[in-house]
Amino acid sequence: RIDPNDDSTFFRIVIPSSVRGWRTQAKLAVAPSSDGGCKFGLYQRGTHQIVKIPNCEVHHPSINRAIQVLEQATKRLDIKAAFEHDNNNNKDKTTTITKKERKKKQQQNTTTGLRYVQC
């Protein structure tokens, strides 16, 4: 039992059940992979760094498999993420464009790359 007045139990992690693989939908962030293509995962707290979760226990196994397939496909087809690497401070940052530039890109029927995927 967690005592709300006892600070030592405030951050204790409680796992409600042993059920795994129940999440049937996931929205994952996308970033460039060091070996080409894209990597998929969640943002590390307070950053835009992607943390891969290849065998997430709460994802249905089909989601974990879909992520593997997407990683292979983006590498094979040279699909880029909508992030660029900033060598000055070694952080990934979102590519920002003005409304005028966005409209021009839309008229040219180009894309800026993957930002998120919904599985």
Side-chain angles (χ1 to χ4, degrees), residues 30-100:
V30 183
S33 177
S34 60
D35 62 350
C38 299
K39 63 181 177 180
F40 303 87
L42 302 174
Y43 288 122
Q44 181 178 340
R45 183 179 296 198
T47 73
H48 279 131
Q49 298 293 324
I50 302 296
V51 177
K52 289 178 65 170
I53 49 172
N55 297 306
C56 181
E57 290 188 13
V58 298
H59 285 163
H60 187 275
S62 296
I63 292 175
N64 291 329
R65 180 66 185 131
I67 294 167
Q68 293 173 348
V69 170
L70 286 168
E71 287 175 344
Q72 294 168 3
T74 58
K75 183 176 180 180
R76 182 172 175 222
L77 299 172
D78 195 31
I79 296 171
K80 304 295 182 194
F83 288 83
E84 63 183 23
H85 192 68
D86 178 7
N87 291 323
N88 295 327
N89 61 12
N90 294 326
K91 291 184 179 177
D92 288 332
K93 64 178 185 177
T94 303
T95 303
T96 56
I97 58 176
T98 65
K99 287 182 181 180
K100 185 176 182 180

